Amino acid sequence: MNIRLIEGQGIPFDPVQDERDRAARRAAQGALADIPSPEPLDTVGYRSAGRTLVIGARADALPWAERLAALLSVTVLLTDDDDGAGKAPRLFPVFTARSLVLTGWLGAFDATWQAPGTAPEHARFDLVLDLGAAPQIATHQPPHGYYAPGLDAAARAAAAEALVDLVGDFEKPKYFAYKERLCAHGRNRKSGCTACIDICSAGAIAGAGDLIAVNPYLCAGCGACTTVCPTGALGYAYPGAAHTGMRIKALLNAYTQAGGRDPVLLVHAAEGAALLDAASALPGRVLPLGVHHTASTGIDLWLAALAWGAAGVTVLMTDAEAPQYAAALDEQMAIAQTIMTGLGYGGQHVQLLRVAGADDLALALQHAPRGQVPARRAGFNVAADKRNTLDYALEHLLREAPQQVEEIALPAGSPFGALDVDAARCSLCMACVGACPASALQDGQNVPQLRFIEKNCVQCGLCEATCPEDAIRLVPRLSFRDTRKQPVVLNETQPFHCIRCNKPFGTVRMVESMLARLAGHPAFAGHLDRMRMCGDCRVIDMMTPADEQTIHQAHELRRR
């Protein structure tokens, strides 16, 4: 039998099994082809009449404008002096600008510019050809209808050709769904999670008070925002996570049933597909899965794939993708690998792969992850809610784990964890409870208690930012204790009773803090006892004449 070691891994390479794996892969690809493509739930429409703005120096902009003017309505904005202005007739208007602000998208680009000694001018365009060395819109993913080909002549020609085709009505899927109630961006003007804003390469997401606003016209559908969202407030709607999960599960099931071993899921987008087509023969156990964008898959789908029997997940990225996507996937993979290692599953399970060419790809895939898998494959399906999918995957991985553990320490920024509350500082003001978007923090209802449900915590940091006493610290970890699903008391104290009606209305520490802070306030000058009263009695006391207050106070002294 011709068996050799895979270089650098010490793993026997069995050509007979590799042939079986190849046959199993063909069966898996057939099963994948049987799954219909999803229909978009909602679409975004664009309308373009071909009004085109050409931006650049005179030597660049005017020749390209003349070419386009035969097919499009062209306006030129020169970034240098127009030495030929007024000397030759032109079929299009030409302006000179020293300052320019450009925003928008296909069919709705707004340009505001100003030349020296003139008033600002404004106009709207459908398309933009930006011939400057540095683009006016510098996002990694430019908006539809905006082309900034740089100085390369071939790229400029391709951009001009593309512009001509962008006249008419167009639509694209609305790639995302936003659930405001789950959003951890902010509460009470305190900033929490900004992961989606930080990662968006199209500049489509911005803060909007305590929530976020996603511009569907700028959204390019990469799905990175949904991958890094800890709560699932942003979800990938086209295709939905449930559909991608169905594809992964079908691929792995068919492969295993056909006799394949140690499958590794290779997630790639269109650019990666070109590399795969050019690469020499891939190992039989590598199962390519094409997606709209590699940043659209994250820890929930990866852990689900491992629970379904994948020996590894490799994500193939190219230089065409934004660098912040690779950084985010690296962080997610560190969390996923920490969990698998903490549960005792040996070997590497996740891999972010960036290669320069097809030959490098083929070589790298010889070293694709081959981690230990659960003894039994899971049967769950991906849920519509991200946190539910994570729960299903983690519960199965724990149940089949080589070693049972109570908790796993995780890197900072993980979407799981606990809170460390300094009881000496905490006044049980409950500001953190009002700030928590996940219902992980709760009050004690009729008793002064701060309660916490660890399973719900997404480590957004809003409680830490909100706490006026600086008494809360995040503890990133993954707990498998039964108590993680139950409310546990983080801090409690004896209630303070109103000195007038004896009704409990706060805590001793809270009242003492109020007295210290408000002792000099004119509203309470000479009436500090009002701070020891509940809200109802405080109003009554403020409305009671002074002589009656004296009688009441004397009565209270005798009663005590």
Side-chain angles (χ1 to χ4, degrees), residues 454-472:
E454 184 164 347
K455 176 180 174 292
N456 294 349
C457 183
V458 298
Q459 297 280 285
C460 66
L462 274 169
C463 57
E464 186 178 40
T466 300
C467 179
E469 314 296 346
D470 193 27
I472 300 177

Side-chain angles (χ1 to χ4, degrees), residues 54 56-58 61-62 76-82 94-98:
V54 179
R58 181 178 60 87
L62 293 180
V76 175
L77 193 60
L78 298 178
T79 55
D80 61 357
D81 293 328
D82 182 12
V94 177
F95 300 92
T96 301
R98 285 294 175 268

Side-chain angles (χ1 to χ4, degrees), residues 27-285:
Q29 290 170 334
L32 198 62
D34 292 337
I35 298 177
S37 299
E39 292 293 329
L41 299 177
D42 199 3
T43 59
V44 177
Y46 301 88
R47 173 165 292 181
S48 168
R51 295 167 301 175
T52 304
L53 176 65
V54 179
I55 305 169
R58 181 178 60 87
D60 295 322
L62 293 180
W64 281 105
E66 289 170 358
R67 297 187 197 185
L68 291 171
L71 299 169
L72 300 170
S73 173
V74 173
T75 298
V76 175
L77 193 60
L78 298 178
T79 55
D80 61 357
D81 293 328
D82 182 12
D83 294 338
K87 296 181 180 180
R90 297 192 180 104
L91 299 176
F92 45 81
V94 177
F95 300 92
T96 301
R98 285 294 175 268
S99 62
L100 169 65
V101 176
L102 180 68
T103 60
W105 50 85
L106 175 63
F109 286 102
D110 289 311
T112 301
W113 67 91
Q114 185 174 12
T118 65
E121 298 192 57
H122 172 82
R124 171 163 284 196
F125 302 94
D126 300 313
L127 306 166
V128 177
L129 176 60
D130 184 353
L131 299 173
Q136 296 291 331
I137 298 178
T139 55
H140 187 276
Q141 179 64 50
H144 296 295
Y146 174 80
Y147 290 86
L151 304 180
D152 182 73
R156 288 180 171 185
E161 184 178 351
L163 286 168
V164 172
D165 292 331
L166 289 178
V167 178
D169 292 333
F170 305 90
E171 67 176 23
K172 69 173 183 181
K174 184 181 177 182
Y175 292 103
F176 64 92
Y178 179 44
K179 301 176 184 176
E180 293 182 358
R181 62 182 179 82
L182 297 179
C183 185
H185 175 64
R187 287 292 187 279
N188 304 320
R189 300 183 181 180
K190 294 289 186 180
S191 179
C193 177
T194 61
C196 61
I197 298 173
D198 297 338
I199 201 171
C200 181
S201 68
I205 308 178
D210 287 344
L211 300 174
I212 61 166
V214 187
N215 187 325
Y217 296 96
L218 290 177
C219 173
C222 69
C225 57
T226 70
T227 296
V228 299
C229 178
T231 65
L234 273 173
Y236 207 35
Y238 181 78
H243 183 270
T244 303
M246 178 172 60
R247 295 178 67 213
I248 295 172
K249 188 176 180 182
L251 194 68
L252 292 170
N253 282 347
Y255 176 84
T256 303
Q257 290 168 7
R261 293 182 184 174
D262 299 330
V264 57
L265 186 70
L266 176 61
V267 181
H268 66 87
E271 296 82 1
L275 283 177
L276 287 170
D277 290 341
S280 56
L282 305 178
R285 70 188 190 94

Side-chain angles (χ1 to χ4, degrees), residues 490-511:
L490 297 182
N491 192 20
E492 63 181 333
T493 189
Q494 294 298 316
F496 185 88
H497 294 264
C498 174
I499 62 173
R500 186 180 182 107
C501 69
N502 206 39
K503 179 177 71 176
F505 74 94
T507 69
V508 173
R509 181 175 176 81
M510 182 186 74
V511 172

